[in-house]
Every structure is written in C-alpha cells, then in structure tokens.
Amino acid sequence: MWGEHRYAVRAEWTGNRGAGTSGYRDYDRSVTLSIAGKPDLAASSDKPFRGDPARWNPEDLLVSALAECHLLSYLHACVSAGVVVVGYSDDATGVMREDGRGGGAFVEVVLHPRVVVADASMVDAAQRAHAQAHEWCFIANSVNFPVRHEPTIVVAGSE
C-alpha cells in the first residue's frame, strides 16, 4: 500500500522549577513524550547538556529508531528470502559531533545486529537481507548521515 502516513507526538516540558527559564541553570530538561494510547516516555537532554541521564534523550531515541526500523525491515526481508530468523539483537552505536557553535550533528550510526538463523543453508541469504532491509528502512532513508551495518550471523545451536 502506497500512501502518506502521519505521526503525532506531544512533547511537554515538565522541568519548570518555579522560575521558568530565568537562567540556564534554573530549569530541568525534563520532558514527557506522549502518544495517544501508548505509555508515556520520560525524556530529557543528554547529561553533557544538563540533562537527566536516567531518562531517554533525543540522541538515544534516534539511534533506537534506526535500530528498530532495520530490525523490522530485516525480518520482512528474511521472510521474503525464505530465511528463518529465530533470534535477533543489536548493540547499535551512534556518533554525534558538536560543531563548536552550539549545534552539531550525527556523523554515523553503526548497527551491530546479531542474527540467529534456523539452518546453516540460510546464512548467505541472511547476510544479503541486510542490504534489502537498509533499502526498506524509512528511518535510515530519512537521515543525512551514513547508517552502516556490521552483522553477525550464527546458526541456532552453534552459539
């Protein structure tokens, strides 16, 4: 199905300590992210930017979105290729570089998927499915930095 899909998120700042943004150190970076019908997500800025390290930050969410999008696209690609995946995990990493003027940008995200397939005959197709998944991943196709993949494919029972 081709079409346009819309997404809505409410981001509500919950970090007013009573004086609002009267000074850079006078407020928390606490945010609640809400989507109707889903649990709220406690968010903040990253610790180096005066945020709460116990909360999700935008950078965490971006790397997570890329990892999850690839995972879901990959599972679809494997079904299409006749590959039976019985396990999948990813220890994704991202690098963001500050520009010295108060901004910055991600320079890359590397996905490290560890895929467990049902049979040794599926390993090559499982490896190739990562390229197809990358083509299908809406999030990876929406960012302006490289999203690389360094997959490991293992056969169930041989781990």
Side-chain angles (χ1 to χ4, degrees):
M1 178 172 102
W2 293 31
E4 185 173 277
H5 307 273
R6 298 184 183 273
Y7 303 89
V9 174
R10 177 180 177 89
E12 183 176 355
W13 174 52
T14 56
N16 185 350
R17 295 181 188 152
T21 58
S22 57
Y24 185 72
R25 298 179 195 280
D26 296 337
Y27 63 94
D28 287 338
R29 275 62 174 173
S30 299
V31 175
T32 299
L33 302 174
S34 304
I35 296 176
K38 298 180 182 182
D40 288 350
L41 183 64
S44 183
S45 61
D46 196 9
K47 186 178 179 178
F49 308 108
R50 304 194 57 79
D52 181 345
R55 292 176 171 240
W56 288 79
N57 62 59
E59 298 82 10
D60 294 333
L61 294 168
L62 179 61
V63 174
S64 298
L66 286 161
E68 182 183 2
C69 187
H70 184 81
L71 182 158
L72 295 170
S73 298
Y74 180 78
L75 295 178
H76 178 82
C78 284
V79 168
S80 298
V83 174
V84 178
V85 175
V86 297
Y88 185 113
S89 61
D90 187 352
D91 294 311
T93 59
V95 177
M96 184 185 73
R97 191 168 295 140
E98 292 183 65
D99 64 12
R101 299 178 310 227
F106 270 80
V107 295
E108 79 169 350
V109 166
V110 181
L111 305 179
H112 301 97
R114 183 181 184 281
V115 179
V116 183
V117 297
D119 188 81
S121 65
M122 300 173 176
V123 171
D124 290 340
Q127 186 73 28
R128 289 190 303 272
H130 284 288
Q132 181 65 66
H134 183 71
E135 287 182 33
W136 287 345
C137 178
F138 299 123
I139 308 301
N141 288 315
S142 300
V143 298
N144 66 352
F145 54 84
V147 178
R148 295 187 301 108
H149 315 93
E150 296 178 359
T152 301
I153 313 291
V154 297
V155 178
S158 68
E159 306 133 80

